[in-house]
Amino acid sequence: MLPRAEKKLQTRHTLLQSTLDLMDGGRGFCGLSLREVTRQAGVVPAAFYRHFEDMDQLGLALVQESTQSLLTAIRQVRHNELEVGGAIDASVRIFLDHVEANRQHFMFLAREQFGGSSLVRQAITNVYRQFSNDLMADLADMSRLKHLDREDLAILSDLLIKAVFSSLPDVLDHLESPATAPFDPQSALVHKLRFIMIGAKHWLGIRGGKDQRL
Amino acid sequence: MLPRAEKKLQTRHTLLQSTLDLMDGGRGFCGLSLREVTRQAGVVPAAFYRHFEDMDQLGLALVQESTQSLLTAIRQVRHNELEVGGAIDASVRIFLDHVEANRQHFMFLAREQFGGSSLVRQAITNVYRQFSNDLMADLADMSRLKHLDREDLAILSDLLIKAVFSSLPDVLDHLESPATAPFDPQSALVHKLRFIMIGAKHWLGIRGGKDQRL
DNA sequence: TCGGATAGTCAACAAATGTTTACTGAAATT
DNA sequence: AATTTCAGTAAACATTTGTTGACTATCCGA
């Protein structure tokens, strides 16, 4: 690449990384100021506008960057699901390895999924929907779930995605101080996904059998 | 009550309510300024300090207020669980009715559970844990879950709580614009909880039977 | 080699923020 | 009736914020 544009990309990356670093202090994205970010990046405030229109746009870029990581992880997981036996264990392992390798990005996603900026929130919501749709397609191919109709599968995949992502904070906290949670978040997550998948396997329709009246 | 302290409590409540009103605009708690809140409340900035030390303390008060609402809902749910048949339907109905009646409070909880202020976040996390423990005690009394040990129950209740709360944003959005979600969030939530409870019922231990290898 | 493009600097601006200090007046206490 | 208490006001403060315009130095294409 040309050293001109390369340098620019490098600064842009520094701005994004500085934002993640500042958020490591436990603060949310909306609590950061433009000047703070540039200060952390070792750049003058005005330089910010060479890369982003405002903080919201930087947030969107951060969503995209994080999503890229996530997409990579998901594809590994989906590839792995084709193998036989212990798909959940292996998938969760791969997913969590990736979370560990991209801790800051996933912290950003976990913290801003319902957070301050509505633009960022909406972007993350769209990513969710996309992943949920992908997962639904995979689930539809599983032989032990053939008895589920489209709506069942949609709700099931949504539930699985929500279970994974709502466990993200536990996992991320556990990475930093491994004594916080009562259980190991990774095995707990596997446990939870098993509950769900077993339930899906024994699902008898919305009315349920008489033994399914809960 | 004496008209002196009563008036003070009223102003305090106005401050809290003003905060919720401002957050209705789609912004997060950490995006609000002290002056903004007092402006909305029709009070001079300095008056804020007669009630709260800083915005974080107001946030904690808001957690407590919201928690009170939630406790009320939960108690209704637990009482309802003692009745026979269709416990999930009825429980979810009651819970969601309460969410609807206290929309702003639950929006606050949903949005700030991982959000900006670490003090607020931690307070909400503690509430979660408490509810999860309560639910665990209830689950332990259910005859169809007698085969689960303490760890199973802990993880199960955590999963149920997470499923409910991660669905809160869907439910709240649906209240404002009932065409956003692909499905009705309420029935979807019932569906999800059924998946989980059925899975719990058929749970055969962490190693599972040979038909439970996922 | 020249001339334009441009990433980043510098300085300045109005506006908004959190916080403090002294005050006012009504309610509570004595 | 006199005095204290205190919720809310008024004004001022030092900072910080987002944004702008003119600049500088470097890289790029001609």
Side-chain angles (χ1 to χ4, degrees):
Chain A
M1 185 180 298
L2 309 126
R4 189 80 148 111
E6 186 180 10
K7 181 85 179 177
K8 176 166 185 179
L9 275 184
Q10 183 179 324
T11 304
R12 177 190 150 103
H13 181 259
T14 304
L15 286 170
L16 292 170
Q17 185 58 49
S18 300
T19 304
L20 292 178
D21 289 343
L22 287 171
M23 288 180 66
D24 257 345
R27 310 157 54 199
F29 176 72
C30 68
L32 305 180
S33 71
L34 183 151
R35 291 182 99 105
E36 219 170 349
V37 172
T38 58
R39 206 178 303 136
Q40 174 84 12
V43 161
V44 92
F48 182 93
Y49 297 99
R50 303 289 181 196
H51 302 272
F52 305 104
E53 198 173 288
D54 54 33
M55 279 294 284
D56 266 327
Q57 297 302 313
L58 181 145
L60 291 183
L62 223 34
V63 173
Q64 202 156 12
E65 216 183 57
S66 307
T67 302
Q68 213 67 16
S69 295
L70 192 49
L71 258 177
T72 307
I74 294 287
R75 284 188 186 131
Q76 285 181 279
V77 169
R78 295 179 76 180
H79 175 267
N80 187 272
E81 272 179 340
L82 298 180
E83 300 176 10
V84 290
I88 285 191
D89 293 301
S91 298
V92 171
R93 167 73 63 91
I94 291 179
F95 180 77
L96 293 184
D97 281 353
H98 198 88
V99 168
E100 188 162 0
N102 301 74
R103 203 189 95 262
Q104 290 179 315
H105 281 119
F106 284 93
M107 190 191 65
F108 173 77
L109 285 179
R111 187 163 296 168
E112 299 305 318
Q113 57 181 322
F114 310 127
S117 159
S118 35
L119 273 170
V120 171
R121 201 186 328 143
Q122 205 161 0
I124 297 183
T125 299
N126 288 337
V127 173
Y128 267 50
R129 252 199 273 274
Q130 181 185 329
F131 284 135
S132 183
N133 287 340
D134 287 5
L135 177 58
M136 182 171 144
D138 287 344
L139 294 177
D141 286 338
M142 295 180 69
S143 59
R144 67 176 73 82
L145 298 180
K146 286 299 183 195
H147 59 296
L148 300 182
D149 63 23
R150 281 191 62 81
E151 181 171 344
D152 293 333
L153 288 172
I155 290 177
L156 174 62
S157 54
D158 188 49
L159 174 58
L160 287 166
I161 296 282
K162 278 185 162 60
V164 170
F165 277 82
S166 63
S167 295
L168 259 187
D170 299 341
V171 173
L172 292 168
D173 285 352
H174 188 76
L175 286 181
E176 300 176 21
S177 57
T180 305
F183 304 115
D184 170 45
Q186 176 160 344
S187 56
L189 180 54
V190 172
H191 204 138
K192 291 172 187 171
L193 297 181
R194 285 221 173 121
F195 274 140
I196 298 173
M197 291 301 283
I198 293 173
K201 184 186 173 188
H202 290 87
W203 179 256
L204 298 178
I206 190 65
R207 300 299 322 157
K210 70 167 187 284
D211 67 326
Q212 282 197 25
R213 194 170 304 141
L214 299 169
Chain B
M1 186 181 296
L2 309 126
R4 190 80 148 109
E6 185 181 11
K7 182 84 177 176
K8 177 166 185 180
L9 274 184
Q10 184 179 323
T11 304
R12 179 191 149 102
H13 180 259
T14 304
L15 286 170
L16 293 169
Q17 185 58 48
S18 300
T19 304
L20 292 177
D21 290 342
L22 287 170
M23 287 180 67
D24 256 345
R27 312 156 54 200
F29 176 72
C30 68
L32 305 180
S33 71
L34 183 150
R35 291 181 99 105
E36 218 170 349
V37 172
T38 58
R39 205 179 304 137
Q40 173 85 11
V43 160
V44 93
F48 182 93
Y49 297 98
R50 301 289 181 195
H51 303 272
F52 305 103
E53 198 173 288
D54 54 33
M55 279 293 284
D56 265 327
Q57 296 304 312
L58 182 145
L60 291 183
L62 224 34
V63 172
Q64 201 156 13
E65 217 182 57
S66 307
T67 302
Q68 213 66 17
S69 295
L70 192 49
L71 257 177
T72 307
I74 294 287
R75 284 189 186 132
Q76 285 181 279
V77 169
R78 296 179 74 179
H79 174 269
N80 187 272
E81 271 178 342
L82 298 180
E83 301 176 9
V84 289
I88 284 191
D89 294 300
S91 297
V92 171
R93 167 72 64 91
I94 292 178
F95 180 76
L96 293 185
D97 281 352
H98 198 87
V99 168
E100 189 162 359
N102 301 74
R103 204 189 94 261
Q104 290 180 315
H105 281 120
F106 284 93
M107 190 192 66
F108 173 77
L109 286 178
R111 186 163 293 166
E112 299 305 319
Q113 56 182 325
F114 309 127
S117 158
S118 35
L119 272 172
V120 171
R121 200 185 328 141
Q122 204 161 1
I124 297 183
T125 299
N126 287 338
V127 173
Y128 266 50
R129 252 198 275 273
Q130 180 186 327
F131 284 136
S132 183
N133 287 340
D134 287 4
L135 177 57
M136 182 172 145
D138 286 344
L139 294 177
D141 285 339
M142 295 178 70
S143 58
R144 67 176 72 81
L145 298 180
K146 286 299 184 194
H147 58 296
L148 300 182
D149 63 23
R150 281 191 61 81
E151 181 171 345
D152 294 333
L153 289 172
I155 289 177
L156 174 61
S157 54
D158 188 49
L159 175 56
L160 288 167
I161 296 280
K162 278 185 162 60
V164 170
F165 276 83
S166 63
S167 295
L168 260 187
D170 299 341
V171 174
L172 292 169
D173 285 352
H174 189 76
L175 286 182
E176 299 176 21
S177 57
T180 304
F183 304 114
D184 169 46
Q186 176 160 344
S187 56
L189 180 53
V190 172
H191 204 138
K192 291 172 187 170
L193 298 180
R194 283 219 175 123
F195 275 138
I196 298 173
M197 290 302 284
I198 293 173
K201 184 185 174 188
H202 290 87
W203 178 257
L204 298 178
I206 189 65
R207 300 301 320 156
K210 70 165 187 284
D211 66 327
Q212 282 196 25
R213 193 171 303 142
L214 301 168

